[in-house]
Amino acid sequence: MRYRPFGRTGLNVSVVGFGCWPMAGDRYGAIEDDEAVRAIHRALDRGVNCVDTAPAYGAGHSEEVVARALEKRRRDVILVTKCGVKAPPPGQPGPLRDASRANILSEVDASLKRLRTDWVDVLLVHWPDAATPFEESMRALEEVVASGRARFVGVSNFTGAMLAECMRTRRVDVSQVGYHMLDRRQERETFPYCATEGIGVMGYGSLGHGLLTGAFTADTTFDLARDWRGGGVAFGQPIFRADNLKTNIGVVERLRREVAEPRGVPLSQIALAWVLANPTISTALVGARTPAEVDANDAGADLELSPAERKAIETILAGVAGRVREFTPLRPAMQPWGEEIPTGRPA
């Protein structure tokens, strides 16, 4: 496993981090908790030192599973959780965004209780909240740091302009954003600012929310009641929607056939190596439900793509359907955020 500086925190983070959204048990289909614990242990044994969770993942269930996994290994990891997203009152749609001081302070205490720890290494505001000034949220995060409940703080799914506004009140130590072959918006939106300011960057969705594993076919369907991908939209991009999904499965098949197979590795390793080739990325989050998935994915941390492979990938990715240029995270995550880019044109 390789490690990179985590922005200016002074921490060195594994280039692959363990993403715990699948452990919610309600958004990627059912999952067996004991197997999830074994998957985290396998990742730690392979040198992964970053575990990312959130109270919004399964109404706290993911944090509870992480607590079980880290019972005897808490000091071995950079533990990341979030705040600012909560369940709605009964009968109302949700989740709700609330990055107010009162809610942040309440949420962090609840998270620490579920995680069975006195502190987290990084606490992030999960999504921007239009109803709360960023100054209020950042001052609340500073309170959490001053109290010893978090070592470092940051934001998730914020635009470049939002990052700059937050920085006027308190330094953003870490930014977490979606980044993978099918979503390159951050190359323009936040990466230049993060590189200039020395902000650590966590990229989520490194395997395209499963698309870049090569496991889906043209007949693949998702149960909307148990799997968010059934709605067709991934963080503003309708890459899973109907004909877009069929087109993208064809793109993925080309990547597998023309890049992964000649290299003799699974497509997931190519996808992970592609993300890690961007020097702005501190750690690429990868979700895994079993130890075998951990083994299959993490090997990509040591893979270097050749110039010819990168050129081939760029050509193939021009055929992706459902991409949008807009990054407007104040809108609901599972609704389109803009007009689709015609295939054959750069993102």
Side-chain angles (χ1 to χ4, degrees):
M1 182 60 63
R2 294 182 291 146
Y3 301 85
R4 292 178 177 175
F6 206 5
R8 295 178 184 168
T9 64
L11 303 174
N12 287 318
V13 64
S14 54
V15 295
V16 176
F18 197 103
C20 295
W21 191 16
M23 294 177 184
D26 64 346
R27 301 299 281 165
Y28 277 95
I31 187 170
E32 209 281 312
D33 289 349
D34 290 342
E35 189 77 345
V37 169
R38 286 191 287 271
I40 293 178
H41 287 170
R42 179 67 63 85
L44 298 183
D45 291 342
R46 292 186 65 102
V48 170
N49 74 348
C50 180
V51 175
D52 175 84
T53 185
Y57 300 162
H61 185 68
S62 174
E63 290 182 323
E64 292 168 349
V65 174
V66 169
R68 285 183 53 196
L70 300 185
E71 185 176 7
K72 297 179 181 179
R73 306 184 71 167
R74 170 65 188 90
R75 294 185 179 274
D76 296 341
V77 305
I78 297 170
L79 178 57
V80 182
T81 196
K82 306 178 186 75
C83 60
V85 172
K86 63 183 183 181
Q92 294 187 23
L96 302 177
R97 301 184 190 189
D98 184 353
S100 66
R101 174 184 179 274
N103 191 58
I104 286 176
L105 298 181
S106 173
E107 279 200 68
V108 70
D109 287 338
S111 285
L112 293 177
K113 184 175 180 180
R114 285 189 293 266
L115 289 165
R116 290 184 247 160
T117 185
D118 295 328
W119 87 100
V120 292
D121 297 278
V122 180
L123 178 67
L124 305 175
V125 175
H126 203 156
W127 283 89
D129 168 21
T132 302
F134 295 147
E135 179 180 2
E136 177 180 340
S137 301
M138 296 308 294
R139 292 197 186 283
L141 293 179
E142 179 58 32
E143 282 188 58
V144 175
V145 172
S147 70
R149 289 173 285 181
R151 298 174 66 191
F152 303 99
V153 294
V155 296
S156 174
N157 301 302
F158 277 46
T159 67
M162 291 173 180
L163 282 171
E165 185 174 345
C166 289
M167 289 275 277
R168 288 197 284 269
T169 298
R170 200 267 183 206
R171 176 167 178 78
V172 174
D173 299 308
V174 174
S175 171
Q176 184 175 131
V177 287
Y179 184 60
H180 51 82
M181 285 182 175
L182 312 181
D183 187 354
R184 303 177 64 169
R185 289 172 291 181
Q186 301 308 320
E187 292 175 356
R188 289 191 298 262
E189 180 63 48
T190 61
F191 285 0
Y193 185 81
C194 289
T196 298
E197 298 295 332
I199 297 172
V201 176
M202 307 176 73
Y204 68 77
S206 303
L207 303 184
H209 311 293
L211 251 177
L212 293 167
T213 64
F216 303 153
T217 71
D219 297 322
T220 295
T221 58
F222 303 100
D223 178 4
L224 184 56
R226 297 301 300 272
D227 194 316
W228 66 270
R229 292 168 294 193
V233 181
F235 304 98
Q237 295 197 128
I239 56 174
F240 285 95
R241 178 178 287 171
D243 289 342
N244 287 345
L245 177 60
K246 291 182 173 61
T247 296
N248 292 338
I249 287 172
V251 168
V252 168
E253 174 59 21
R254 283 193 64 191
L255 289 168
R256 183 190 63 78
R257 187 176 63 250
E258 298 177 29
V259 183
E261 283 189 356
R263 188 68 180 260
V265 298
L267 177 59
S268 61
Q269 293 183 20
I270 296 292
L272 185 55
W274 183 91
V275 170
L276 292 175
N278 191 311
T280 308
I281 291 288
S282 305
T283 185
L285 296 174
V286 180
R289 298 156 61 89
T290 67
E293 289 182 358
V294 172
D295 292 340
N297 295 334
D298 285 4
D302 296 319
L303 191 67
E304 296 284 348
L305 297 174
S306 70
E309 287 170 329
R310 292 190 62 83
K311 183 177 180 180
I313 289 169
E314 290 294 318
T315 299
I316 295 168
L317 291 182
V320 173
R323 296 172 300 167
V324 301
R325 289 189 177 88
E326 290 80 6
F327 184 69
T328 53
L330 289 176
R331 298 181 64 182
M334 303 311 167
Q335 294 181 9
W337 288 353
E339 295 296 321
E340 294 183 29
I341 301 168
T343 57
R345 295 184 184 179

